[in-house]
Amino acid sequence: AKPVTGPVSLLTNLIRTTVDSTQVRHISDPTSANRSIFVKPKGVSWTDFDLTAEQRQNLFDAGYGAVNRWLAKNPHWPDTETNTFTKPE
């Protein structure tokens, strides 16, 4: 967390904490985790809205790589009734 230096940074840290805890709760549900693609953006927070061109490109590249890794591990679309992956017959 970034240091609190006033009301704005306090509010920003509060929002970051809330968003992060929501993300953790979402991925603790196995059915959500099975159909989620996790992207690990380097140097970018969920609440960074003024990204540089380089940060945007890095974020895009991280997402693109995460999708390709997920598709390689899960080549079949999920069964929407059971949230499981099944091979087509």
Side-chain angles (χ1 to χ4, degrees):
K2 295 182 179 180
V4 174
T5 58
V8 173
S9 62
L10 176 64
L11 181 60
T12 302
N13 280 344
L14 180 61
I15 291 169
R16 282 190 177 121
T17 301
T18 303
V19 170
D20 288 346
S21 67
T22 301
Q23 297 297 321
V24 169
R25 188 174 64 239
H26 172 73
I27 63 172
S28 65
D29 174 12
T31 58
S32 294
N34 287 342
R35 57 195 162 105
S36 297
I37 298 172
F38 300 100
V39 179
K40 297 178 183 174
K42 294 180 179 127
V44 177
S45 170
W46 299 107
T47 54
D48 288 339
F49 299 110
D50 55 345
L51 300 176
T52 66
E54 182 180 5
Q55 287 173 312
R56 287 192 304 269
Q57 185 62 51
N58 289 340
L59 186 58
F60 177 85
D61 292 343
Y64 189 84
V67 167
N68 283 322
R69 286 187 299 279
W70 188 89
L71 288 173
K73 290 180 184 176
N74 303 288
H76 308 291
W77 293 108
D79 178 337
T80 54
E81 291 181 25
T82 62
N83 285 321
T84 60
F85 294 90
T86 55
K87 285 188 175 183
E89 298 189 37

